[in-house]
Amino acid sequence: LFRLTIVSGEELAEQASALEQRTITVPGARGSILDRNGLPLAYSQKSFNVQFYRDPNKNTAADRAYYTGIIIDTIAIVENNQGKTVDTFAIRYNGETGEYYFDFGLKSEQAAARREVKWRENMYISVPKSGVPLTPEEIYLTLRNRYQIPEEMDFAEASKILSIWQDVQLNSWVAYESITVAYDVSLQTVSEIKTHSAELEGMSIAESTVRVYPRGSVAAHVIGYESRIT
């Protein structure tokens, strides 16, 4: 103890202060808006989100397969309790025509084209030696193989998994932050995720709030609204 605190105390204190740290931002809740009689026009209600943090040091094929299994189990828990996971995967599939296509939710074709270029770069979709870019279907199959999604899963199921991996990849520049898998889940989902936390590595529950407008669109031009950016 004498060596740790007196002899080497100053040196060890400097080493401890130099350790890597990460800052986690905790969003604050918005206040309530009341009318002149004290009746609420807008208020925040406590909710819970499922979040996923992938260790950036675990990036082998085996690691990806391991995390894919965890994602599949988590999606099952959320959906079994009448919840929905975030599905923003950029590639869509038309079952009637059999066509795969990009959908970034943009009306401008030029903006969509620019977004596609950046998306391909961020998702590490390289151009083959032939110089011909991969089609949306080829990219989809490439990503299925990269993240080792079971063959028996159809596009709708695979899209949910790839959406989470897409968010992880697009968020890799701040790899110390978690990405949200599902918003405003039920207490049963919260309980199951926490109960199986040992098996669901990287999955966690974060407290949040949802905005409630009991009068609907009344005074919307005054009190506004809150929604996630698309």
Side-chain angles (χ1 to χ4, degrees):
L1 182 62
F2 179 81
R3 183 181 64 80
L4 290 174
T5 57
I6 306 300
V7 178
S8 304
E10 185 176 350
E11 178 186 354
L12 295 175
E14 290 179 357
Q15 292 179 14
S17 64
L19 293 176
E20 291 185 0
Q21 299 180 357
R22 66 186 179 112
T23 301
I24 300 176
T25 302
V26 179
R30 298 174 68 188
S32 299
I33 300 176
L34 312 177
D35 67 8
R36 66 175 184 165
N37 298 313
L39 298 176
L41 297 174
Y43 63 92
S44 293
Q45 182 173 285
K46 189 175 182 179
S47 66
F48 299 93
N49 300 335
V50 179
Q51 294 190 327
F52 175 53
Y53 172 74
R54 188 210 66 179
D55 186 342
N57 296 315
K58 295 182 178 180
N59 200 31
T60 65
D63 292 328
R64 290 193 292 272
Y66 172 66
Y67 277 130
T68 290
I70 290 173
I71 292 171
I72 292 173
D73 292 342
T74 302
I75 291 174
I77 291 174
V78 172
E79 293 186 341
N80 288 341
N81 292 300
Q82 289 71 55
K84 290 184 178 180
T85 57
V86 176
D87 185 0
T88 58
F89 188 47
I91 295 176
R92 297 296 174 182
Y93 173 67
N94 187 326
E96 296 181 358
T97 63
E99 176 191 9
Y100 292 83
Y101 59 95
F102 282 105
D103 182 8
F104 295 101
L106 300 173
K107 294 181 179 180
S108 168
E109 293 184 2
Q110 292 181 337
R114 290 194 297 269
R115 181 70 62 83
E116 180 183 333
V117 170
K118 294 302 297 181
W119 186 90
R120 286 172 180 264
E121 292 176 357
N122 292 330
M123 294 299 292
Y124 292 97
I125 303 299
S126 57
V127 179
K129 293 181 179 179
S130 63
V132 179
L134 296 180
T135 65
E137 181 178 4
E138 291 171 332
I139 294 174
Y140 163 67
L141 296 175
T142 297
L143 294 177
R144 281 195 68 130
N145 181 63
R146 178 188 299 173
Y147 297 113
Q148 302 189 43
I149 296 176
E151 293 182 2
E152 63 272 15
M153 284 192 167
D154 60 16
F155 178 85
E157 294 176 302
S159 176
K160 300 171 188 175
I161 302 168
L162 290 174
S163 174
I164 295 173
W165 276 116
Q166 171 187 267
D167 287 351
V168 169
Q169 190 59 48
L170 298 182
N171 201 54
S172 59
W173 63 282
V174 281
Y176 53 84
E177 289 188 2
S178 302
I179 61 107
T180 302
V181 172
Y183 290 93
D184 195 19
V185 297
S186 67
L187 289 177
Q188 181 62 30
T189 297
V190 172
S191 175
E192 291 186 37
I193 295 291
K194 289 188 173 182
T195 299
H196 297 284
S197 60
E199 303 99 84
L200 301 176
E201 181 183 340
M203 294 293 175
S204 63
I205 299 295
E207 289 190 13
S208 184
T209 58
V210 292
R211 200 65 169 164
V212 179
Y213 300 93
R215 304 290 183 87
S217 60
V218 172
H221 63 296
V222 177
I223 61 177
Y225 69 95
E226 180 181 45
S227 181
R228 293 190 298 276
I229 298 174
T230 60

